[in-house]
Amino acid sequence: EYRNVEAVGALDEPLFLIHGSRDDVVPVTHGKALFDAATGKRGGAFVLRTADHVPPVSDLRLVFGAIDAAVAGRALPTLPEHMMTSSY
């Protein structure tokens, strides 16, 4: 059994979550619980409104580019409307 929500509090590195809102394997409520547990941590969340458990590679490339920018201290690129950031 994984206790990810409890583990988030012990992280000392940035945490980035990527979740498809149509995921039928891991409910989006689980991603929200992790996001909520990470309050005050560096990082962010990307909710892909049109994705299921396996997001399209094209979406992941954009998200990984945004994560790279965030870690490097650059401004996040503009993402398509179907990608929400830091919100559930």
Side-chain angles (χ1 to χ4, degrees), residues 46-63:
F46 298 85
V47 180
L48 311 180
R49 292 185 202 155
T50 58
D52 56 19
H53 191 68
V54 182
V57 171
S58 58
D59 284 357
L60 290 175
R61 282 188 184 118
L62 294 172
V63 170

Side-chain angles (χ1 to χ4, degrees), residues 13-86:
E13 55 275 317
L15 172 68
F16 292 93
L17 301 170
I18 304 168
H19 208 114
S21 64
R22 297 180 182 176
D23 191 335
D24 60 355
V25 177
V26 178
V28 74
T29 54
H30 289 207
K32 179 163 179 13
L34 286 175
F35 179 77
D36 291 345
T39 299
K41 301 283 184 190
R42 286 183 1 149
F46 298 85
V47 180
L48 311 180
R49 292 185 202 155
T50 58
D52 56 19
H53 191 68
V54 182
V57 171
S58 58
D59 284 357
L60 290 175
R61 282 188 184 118
L62 294 172
V63 170
F64 293 151
I67 291 171
D68 182 61
V71 170
R74 299 187 312 269
L76 290 180
T78 301
L79 296 172
E81 191 173 302
H82 71 278
M83 296 180 183
M84 298 186 313
T85 58
S86 299

